[in-house]
Amino acid sequence: MVEISTSILSVKKGEENKTIFALEAGKTDYFHIDVMDGKFVPKNTYDKMFEYSSYIKRISNLPLDVHLMVENVRKAVDDFVAVEPNIITFHLEACKDKEEVHDLIKYIKENNCKVGIAIKPNTKIEDVYEFLPYIHMCLVMTVEPGKGGQTLIKETLEKIKELKNYIDENKIEIDIEADGGINLATVDDVKKAGANILVSGTAILMAKDYKVIIDELRK
Ligand code: DX5
Ligand code: ZN
């Protein structure tokens, strides 16, 4: 059984209350918080995502799955630990060298959060292998980071397959999260590839009944 992490990136201001309540009622497993700084990716969602996360903290016990698409990871960690996320995931491509990756892993753990590393579609899956023993989740982007509503890039499924084989062969206990373009048409291929946490934004938020679509994606 996979878990569903609903991206609230495209939730409109003013609709966050009813949408978050409805997603909780629809039994999403996580809220996926897409933090963008306008530098690592063109969009800036920083303040909006902080506001939405603070609101979720007040009304829900569901875990926050924070996806940092930022250049200054350390500052974003300092800001977002305030909403007590379950996990903070940063991009490998935002780090200048391996030492910085290890420093950030340690820093996030020191802030009592689980740690994830995300990789963009064009980043080789092997580039993340050496860090896997120290983290809780690898987020494989199945679209280019930066916005919702994009089409899943099929080639990224090969990376998920390779990652799944690698962690099984090396007995590494880690979650594989797939993120971007996941809907009823693509979900089976993503599951077959080996992801066990699926992020979906558009497909869920455009549905009439969140529980129906979340159950469909999860089964
Ligand atoms: C893209 C984000 C994804 C995206 C998912 O940069 O990281 O989480 O919002 O949304 P959909 O499901 O619409 O692709
Ligand atoms: Zn995301």
Side-chain angles (χ1 to χ4, degrees):
M1 183 93 124
V2 298
E3 292 182 297
I4 302 300
S5 185
T6 305
S7 164
I8 56 170
L9 177 64
S10 51
V11 174
K12 291 192 183 34
K13 290 290 288 166
E15 293 180 1
E16 63 270 27
N17 302 27
K18 78 169 163 52
T19 306
I20 288 161
F21 270 112
L23 285 170
E24 173 147 27
K27 299 263 178 277
T28 185
D29 295 293
Y30 302 88
F31 287 105
H32 185 79
I33 311 294
D34 282 312
V35 181
M36 301 176 186
D37 64 357
K39 296 186 198 119
F40 185 76
V41 290
K43 247 170 122 121
N44 187 327
T45 67
Y46 205 91
D47 297 344
K48 186 169 83 166
M49 287 300 122
F50 186 79
E51 239 177 84
Y52 285 6
S53 302
S54 310
Y55 180 71
I56 292 171
K57 266 340 263 183
R58 285 203 300 278
I59 62 144
S60 167
N61 294 322
L62 287 179
L64 297 182
D65 164 30
V66 172
H67 174 197
L68 298 180
M69 287 160 275
V70 303
E71 281 182 359
N72 188 341
V73 177
R74 193 170 273 258
K75 176 184 179 311
V77 171
D78 289 340
D79 291 339
F80 277 81
V81 286
V83 295
E84 296 167 335
N86 180 55
I87 185 162
I88 295 181
T89 300
F90 63 92
H91 268 268
L92 190 60
E93 302 90 353
C95 300
K96 61 183 174 313
D97 55 31
K98 297 176 194 283
E99 196 187 343
E100 184 181 2
V101 180
H102 282 297
D103 286 349
L104 287 170
I105 291 170
K106 198 160 145 281
Y107 191 64
I108 293 169
K109 286 181 176 173
E110 283 165 0
N111 279 280
N112 303 316
C113 276
K114 289 166 108 181
V115 193
I117 291 181
I119 52 169
K120 299 202 291 191
N122 291 340
T123 299
K124 294 196 314 304
I125 193 69
E126 296 82 6
D127 292 353
V128 79
Y129 285 175
E130 64 185 284
F131 306 109
L132 296 179
Y134 309 99
I135 62 177
H136 302 89
M137 179 171 88
C138 179
L139 190 165
V140 179
M141 289 301 298
T142 40
V143 296
E144 275 306 316
K147 60 181 188 307
Q150 300 179 77
T151 304
L152 183 138
I153 302 168
K154 279 241 177 276
E155 291 73 11
T156 59
L157 299 180
E158 285 314 307
K159 292 167 63 177
I160 295 174
K161 281 180 194 146
E162 281 173 46
L163 176 60
K164 179 70 176 134
N165 289 336
Y166 182 83
I167 65 173
D168 288 349
E169 274 160 30
N170 293 278
K171 300 191 179 15
I172 299 172
E173 286 280 308
I174 190 166
D175 287 323
I176 300 177
E177 183 169 275
D179 183 8
I182 296 177
N183 52 43
L184 292 181
T186 58
V187 66
D188 288 342
D189 289 342
V190 178
K191 284 180 196 167
K192 263 188 239 133
N196 68 302
I197 301 178
L198 311 182
V199 175
S200 183
T202 306
I204 293 174
L205 296 178
M206 68 192 261
K208 254 190 341 301
D209 184 322
Y210 294 156
K211 179 146 182 25
V212 168
I213 182 76
I214 289 171
D215 284 346
E216 281 288 300
L217 289 169
R218 183 187 283 132
K219 75 171 196 259

